[in-house]
Amino acid sequence: MRRHPDRRLAPWAAWDEHSRGRRFEEPPPALRGEFQRDRDRIIHSTAFRRLVYKTQVFVNHEGDLYRTRLTHSLEVAQIARTIARALGLNEYLVEAVSLAHDLGHTPFGHAGQDALNACMRDYGGFEHNLQSLRVVDELEEKYADFPGLNLTFETREGVLKHCALKNARSLGELGQRFIDRTQPSLEAQLANIADEIAYNNHDIDDGLRAGLLDMQALQDVVLFRVQYEAVRAAYPDLRGRRLIHEIVRRMIDATVADLVATTSARLFEHAPEHIDAVRAHPEPLIAFSPEMAGYTRDMKRYLHEHLYRHHRVLRMTTKARNVVRVLFEAFMGEPRLMPDEHAGHARAWQSAHGDAGRARAVADYIAGMTDRYAISEYERLTDPRRNS
Ligand code: MG
């Protein structure tokens, strides 16, 4: 088996020297690896800082202790790095993908994304994965020599988790895998699953904190019940936050342990000798055991029914949808209501691409907003007592 000079990297990992490179050629970094440089560029980006004021499930002003997109992204990165190390994968790449995966998210989480997608229906639609790519490829203004962050192909491949076939066709090499139905790198596969592990578990924690989920009712979820019973048996007097955290901590641990064991076995069985063999493999190699896959599906279903569709969450997301719709209609009707820079994009893209160009400029502006900025823009536009 070939070994990388950095002995921790397995042959199936993403090696710097096998990278498909950057859109604009640059000299290699002096002190860092290529993916380490990507990770650093993401952390220095403006879009990354905005994640702190964007909704995961609970809107930013609902409480200071709930996950935001920023803390969510950090948890994803942390889970993904642990697994990457255990599997001999490139920790820097998986961290870069994890930290960037939600950069294109609108304010107000999925409600905001759905609302913006509906507004954009006649203009090419809005997909948050595609928007994350647009942020790192086009919208960030950080470097003299190129637009965006000029990340490696591998980081961009991981950021573009899904995309509609019609959009894939316009993305060249990056979109090809959705047309050919091939796989991305193991690091990209891993960041995707680590995202799921992170939100399933932290949403249980946040849902219990908010009083929207109930410990007794959660016994219906096998993953929760098994750990609940184990903790109660070991610590019969444990109550409150420590009980919840001990259960959630063990759920993450059990899920991660299953993923590492199952994936290790698959990697040794198929032994891909190169990242391109990973891409050509007929199915993802990063996987849960069938049993654990079933448990996590049940957990997701439970959260959909009892948390994401809880009336208190729905009430907030209905308001959020309305904010996005009102902003879109106002800016689309009169782009000069946007700050000069965005109004300028709307003018330029209108001349180049017609109404779809103007709509894209409006969508970029709205998608970049934090929850609280969107609410204050909404108030400025709709409250006649406010004069700016
Ligand atoms: Mg996420």
Side-chain angles (χ1 to χ4, degrees):
M1 192 192 274
R2 290 170 322 133
R3 291 305 293 191
H4 190 264
D6 172 351
R7 297 180 59 82
R8 286 167 307 187
L9 279 191
W12 46 71
W15 297 9
D16 277 24
E17 48 273 54
H18 296 151
S19 171
R20 295 188 183 175
R22 300 174 188 275
R23 292 165 81 208
F24 302 91
E25 218 171 301
E26 290 185 69
L31 302 174
R32 300 169 287 179
E34 295 286 356
F35 304 122
Q36 199 178 353
R37 173 153 73 179
D38 281 2
R39 190 272 320 266
D40 296 351
R41 286 183 176 182
I42 291 158
I43 286 186
H44 289 295
S45 71
T46 308
F48 184 70
R49 286 196 296 283
R50 288 189 184 130
L51 295 178
V52 69
Y53 295 119
K54 290 194 179 200
T55 296
Q56 185 64 30
V57 172
F58 297 91
V59 173
N60 183 241
H61 64 253
E62 289 184 286
D64 291 342
L65 295 177
Y66 299 120
R67 267 66 173 191
T68 66
R69 291 243 166 240
L70 181 66
T71 58
H72 162 69
S73 301
L74 294 173
E75 288 184 38
V76 175
Q78 180 266 116
I79 288 170
R81 281 191 63 163
T82 302
I83 300 168
R85 179 168 289 229
L87 298 173
L89 301 182
N90 195 312
E91 279 183 67
Y92 290 118
L93 175 57
V94 84
E95 187 181 15
V97 173
S98 302
L99 294 179
H101 85 283
D102 274 348
L103 288 180
H105 239 296
T106 61
F108 313 123
H110 283 281
Q113 127 92 29
D114 292 347
L116 195 51
N117 188 28
C119 295
M120 289 291 287
R121 189 173 300 128
D122 296 336
Y123 312 110
F126 179 90
E127 289 184 65
H128 66 89
N129 288 307
L130 210 51
Q131 190 71 7
S132 295
L133 186 69
R134 189 167 161 75
V135 167
V136 299
D137 279 357
E138 308 285 343
L139 300 180
E140 279 291 321
E141 299 177 297
K142 302 292 272 193
Y143 300 93
D145 290 329
F146 41 76
L149 305 179
N150 198 32
L151 303 179
T152 59
F153 176 88
E154 288 69 24
T155 301
R156 298 169 60 238
E157 173 190 50
V159 166
L160 192 65
K161 194 161 60 172
H162 306 290
C163 109
L165 212 50
K166 67 173 172 23
N167 292 322
R169 293 202 184 91
S170 64
L171 290 171
E173 199 190 359
L174 202 65
Q176 201 55 42
R177 79 174 160 98
F178 300 100
I179 299 162
D180 300 342
R181 295 168 172 278
T182 55
Q183 311 305 322
S185 72
L186 291 167
E187 286 81 356
Q189 296 177 31
L190 172 55
N192 191 8
I193 292 202
D195 183 23
E196 229 177 89
I197 298 175
Y199 67 66
N200 276 337
N201 287 286
H202 66 47
D203 287 352
I204 291 215
D205 183 31
D206 281 351
L208 286 167
R209 183 190 310 280
L212 305 187
L213 294 179
D214 173 79
M215 282 246 246
Q216 292 314 314
L218 265 170
Q219 312 282 318
D220 290 348
V221 182
V222 174
L223 215 48
F224 187 90
R225 188 176 66 234
V226 168
Q227 302 306 332
Y228 176 88
E229 283 168 358
V231 175
R232 289 316 297 262
Y235 307 94
D237 299 326
L238 202 61
R239 295 278 181 279
R241 306 299 319 161
R242 287 176 74 182
L243 174 60
I244 294 171
H245 290 150
E246 186 61 33
I247 296 168
V248 171
R249 182 184 85 70
R250 287 172 183 234
M251 287 197 310
I252 296 176
D253 209 50
T255 324
V256 166
D258 180 276
L259 188 75
V260 169
T262 310
T263 305
S264 293
R266 288 159 71 90
L267 287 171
F268 283 105
E269 184 192 338
H270 299 288
E273 272 290 299
H274 189 279
I275 186 172
D276 284 334
V278 168
R279 289 183 174 124
H281 197 79
E283 53 182 8
L285 283 159
I286 304 260
F288 290 120
S289 65
E291 193 184 31
M292 183 58 82
Y295 292 156
T296 57
R297 256 197 314 276
D298 291 347
M299 159 99 81
K300 263 181 157 168
R301 204 174 304 128
Y302 187 92
L303 285 169
H304 267 281
E305 236 166 84
H306 295 89
L307 182 62
Y308 312 141
R309 289 211 290 264
H310 191 286
H311 70 269
R312 268 173 57 201
V313 173
L314 282 184
R315 210 149 52 190
M316 196 62 225
T317 54
T318 305
K319 285 189 249 184
R321 244 196 306 274
N322 191 42
V323 170
V324 168
R325 205 162 34 225
V326 167
L327 291 178
F328 184 87
E329 278 163 18
F331 297 140
M332 194 61 191
E334 180 45 273
R336 281 174 302 185
L337 289 173
M338 295 189 288
D340 288 347
E341 181 198 345
H342 296 279
H345 288 158
R347 238 184 344 265
W349 298 346
Q350 169 89 46
S351 348
H353 310 287
D355 288 351
R358 174 164 43 118
R360 191 58 57 190
V362 171
D364 283 344
Y365 178 45
I366 294 175
M369 292 179 183
T370 60
D371 294 2
R372 58 186 192 171
Y373 184 80
I375 291 170
S376 83
E377 278 288 82
Y378 172 85
E379 286 169 352
R380 272 195 288 269
L381 285 169
T382 54
D383 184 348
R385 287 164 300 188
R386 294 196 48 172
N387 48 18
S388 63

